[in-house]
Amino acid sequence: MQQENVILVNERDEAIGTMEKLEAHQKGLLHRAISVFIFDNQHRLLLQQRAAHKYHSAGLWTNTCCSHPAPGETASAAAHRRLEEEMGMHVPLTFAFTFRYRAPFDNGLVEHELDHVFIGYSNHPPIPNPAEVAAYRWSDRTTIDRENRENPEAYTAWFKLIYDKVFERA
């Protein structure tokens, strides 16, 4: 895994330092993140299945793209960069909201993020990066709701917390 630093923040989203990403997840420290949700003209959400080698939430379904801004990078710039790197897409994005969550994982890591959420619209198919994405699909809210009731462990922790709010804003 390539070493990558994240921006540590306080509860007001003020940067207080940087740390190697894996170490931040091992210590459960609050850091800045981004989540991107792309919808098509049928109001379906583009979901990705995380690659099998990810060190947490591997193989789970989640929003179109999620990652962390690099030190010195804005959340908006990171959202555009990672959407291109993960899904091969160039889409105008609109900032929607931020939220904070903490999710411990079975492997001892803790996702503790102040997440900046962005929404965009496209009818073009993605060109997923196989190093990041195992599969993708377009899905409507009814299907996601049903799957979340029947098999909630198929989705990432952060996605389950925010997809309702995103669908309301999209």
Side-chain angles (χ1 to χ4, degrees), residues 48-52 59-61 128-136:
Q48 74 153 274
Q49 184 181 33
R50 291 170 57 88
L60 299 184
W61 288 96
N129 177 348
E132 299 285 340
V133 180
Y136 74 89

Side-chain angles (χ1 to χ4, degrees), residues 35-126:
S35 289
V36 177
F37 290 73
I38 302 297
F39 291 89
D40 68 6
N41 63 358
Q42 297 175 50
H43 205 61
R44 296 180 305 171
L45 175 60
L46 178 58
L47 297 173
Q48 74 153 274
Q49 184 181 33
R50 291 170 57 88
H53 69 274
K54 294 286 191 173
Y55 65 87
H56 74 74
S57 306
L60 299 184
W61 288 96
T62 197
N63 46 288
T64 310
C65 160
C66 42
S67 190
H68 307 90
E73 182 180 40
T74 66
S76 177
H80 285 92
R81 174 179 58 81
R82 290 302 294 165
L83 183 60
E84 180 183 352
E85 290 172 357
E86 289 185 27
M87 301 300 278
M89 300 178 83
H90 297 276
V91 177
L93 300 174
T94 302
F95 172 75
F97 59 90
T98 60
F99 79 104
R100 186 170 55 97
Y101 75 99
R102 187 176 191 282
F105 299 108
D106 291 341
N107 64 2
L109 299 178
V110 177
E111 191 77 285
H112 190 193
E113 297 186 336
L114 201 152
D115 201 345
H116 295 243
V117 178
F118 295 86
I119 298 173
Y121 301 89
S122 178
N123 291 313
H124 299 289

